[in-house]
Every structure is written in C-alpha cells, then in structure tokens.
Amino acid sequence: DIQMTQSPSSLSASVGDRVTITCRASQSISIFLNWYQQKPGKAPHLLIYSASTLHTGVPSRFSGSGSGTDFTLTINGVQPEDFATYYCQQSASDPPRGTFGPGTKVDFK
Amino acid sequence: EVQLVESGGGLVQPGGSLRLSCAVSGFIVSNYDMSWVRQTLGKGLEWVSFIHTGGTPRYADSVKGRFTISRQNRKNTLYLEMASLRHEDAGVYYCARTRDSYTSDANRNNYYMDVWGKGTTLIVSS
C-alpha cells in the first residue's frame, strides 16, 4: 500500500499569511494527488485534484503543485474561513485503495 | 441543487449488522461513480468502498467480505450493507460522488470525491 505523510501536523497562522503544507507519498504517484479541507463537525470538501487543478468555486488563493512523491498545498493570504484541517489523498492505487494523509491542522495564531 | 444525505447510523453490538443509506438529489446516482469514505479515530479518513457507473463494486481490504455497496436507481439512493461489525469500524461514514480525470502521461484516471454528504455515525459497542 502507498503511505502518505503530511508536514507539519499542525501550524498556526495569522490572517494574510502564506501557508504551505507538504504531502509525501511512499512511492511515485505521478500527479494522482488530491487535496481536501475539513472543518470541525463537517465533511471534507474538495479543493484541488490531479495535484494542481483547482476545483470549481475554490478561491484562487489556494494552489497545488508537485509530482512523483512530493506535493505542496499553498494558501496565499490565509482568510478566517481557511482555518481547518487539510488532507491529501493519493489516487494512484485503484479505487478504493487511494489513501489519505493524516492531515494538517491550520489554526489561528 | 446537488445533495447527498446519509442515514442509518447508530449503535450496534460487535458482530452485528447495519445498512447505511445515501439519498441523492440533483443528479442521477447511476450516472456517476460513487464511494463510501469513513473517518475513524484509529485510521483517520479511509476510502472503504466504490461502485462504478457500470455497477462493479470494489472494497478496501479492511471491509472486504463484510460490507456490500449497492444502489437503487428507482430511489436514486446508494447503500452500504455492513455485517460482522467490529469496534474498529466505528466512526463517521460519508457517501461521496466520485469523479475521474484522465492523465495522458500515465494513461489512467485520477479519482477524487467532489461532493460529500454530511455523514452518519456508527458506534460499535456492547
């Protein structure tokens, strides 16, 4: 099974900061990497798929990059509504073997 | 409006069974791939089951032989039948519409969940 790790596990930021979250796969997954945002008590919400394609309606301050084993989610100018937990998910394995990372919690400094 | 509404969660004893439902509105369930994803204290988010538009079901190793995914087109509803339940199955279960994006370099699809329900909670306890 492909294992996913994320760093950091948590971070504190102020409104307007640039935030970067890293996701690493245990083997190459090309660009089969998706990012989700989850707020407490809510379902996950798709942000980015195929490593860098912004899902419909997602603000342009979110961006994704990477391929192979190393990926990055960047929030340029974090807003109050962005304080949440972010998960990466690989889809190089056939469904439903695509695994999620453990999450990165972004909270208010 | 596209909406998924799960129901059927509750308290069940170890070894017991339960059926989860996901009522779909705003699109036809049989026209899309669909998934069940759970969130547990032990494993975090885990993709447990998938059904292709053609009807082919797939399962994670952790639930294979115990869980059955299906859909009823007349009711536009997705189901997850769960049997031989274990403590580690406890958590929040989400149904999700599943899309794919073809990548020519790898000549295969990237699958992602673009619409999620609010979830239903399963508790496994004696």
Side-chain angles (χ1 to χ4, degrees):
Chain A
D1 286 0
I2 299 174
Q3 307 302 317
M4 306 300 293
T5 57
Q6 289 182 234
S7 61
S9 57
S10 65
L11 65 90
S12 297
S14 299
V15 173
D17 284 352
R18 184 177 194 232
V19 167
T20 300
I21 298 168
T22 297
C23 175
R24 177 164 290 173
S26 59
Q27 65 189 70
S28 178
I29 58 171
S30 183
I31 60 166
F32 298 122
L33 192 284
N34 310 309
W35 289 98
Y36 301 87
Q37 176 194 67
Q38 186 179 33
K39 296 181 180 178
K42 303 290 188 184
H45 171 74
L46 177 68
L47 295 175
I48 288 168
Y49 61 94
S50 300
S52 62
T53 303
L54 210 61
H55 180 50
T56 305
V58 175
S60 59
R61 61 181 179 272
F62 290 92
S63 64
S65 65
S67 66
T69 60
D70 295 314
F71 301 86
T72 300
L73 173 70
T74 301
I75 311 172
N76 274 306
V78 70
Q79 297 300 300
E81 60 267 30
D82 300 337
F83 293 104
T85 300
Y86 293 84
Y87 295 92
C88 61
Q89 177 239 335
Q90 65 86 7
S91 188
S93 307
D94 287 337
R97 287 180 167 77
T99 43
F100 289 83
T104 294
K105 184 177 181 181
V106 177
D107 61 21
F108 186 68
K109 187 184 289 183
Chain B
E1 181 191 2
V2 172
Q3 195 172 13
L4 308 176
V5 178
E6 302 94 336
S7 61
L11 172 65
V12 64
Q13 292 186 340
S17 301
L18 205 63
R19 186 179 79 164
L20 305 182
S21 301
C22 171
V24 173
S25 56
F27 67 94
I28 297 172
V29 69
S30 59
N31 286 352
Y32 290 83
D33 298 338
M34 297 292 294
S35 298
W36 287 95
V37 178
R38 68 184 179 186
Q39 190 162 27
T40 66
L41 287 176
K43 284 192 170 183
L45 287 166
E46 183 184 12
W47 193 359
V48 296
S49 189
F50 169 87
I51 186 165
H52 189 265
T53 50
T56 303
R58 296 182 184 168
Y59 304 95
D61 290 342
S62 58
V63 306
K64 193 179 294 183
R66 301 187 299 122
F67 288 15
T68 303
I69 189 172
S70 64
R71 63 188 185 216
Q72 187 172 101
N73 297 342
R74 182 173 55 84
K75 292 188 175 182
N76 212 34
T77 299
L78 181 74
Y79 299 99
L80 187 68
E81 296 266 7
M82 305 182 295
S84 303
L85 284 163
R86 307 167 180 167
H87 290 290
E88 56 265 35
D89 295 319
V92 180
Y93 283 72
Y94 299 101
C95 65
R97 189 173 74 175
T98 306
R99 308 298 300 276
D100 59 76
S101 174
Y102 178 72
T103 301
S104 56
D105 287 355
N107 192 31
R108 56 152 294 170
N109 290 326
N110 172 50
Y111 290 88
Y112 55 94
M113 279 67 84
D114 73 330
V115 181
W116 297 63
K118 291 184 180 351
T120 186
T121 300
L122 170 67
I123 302 168
V124 182
S125 175
S126 52

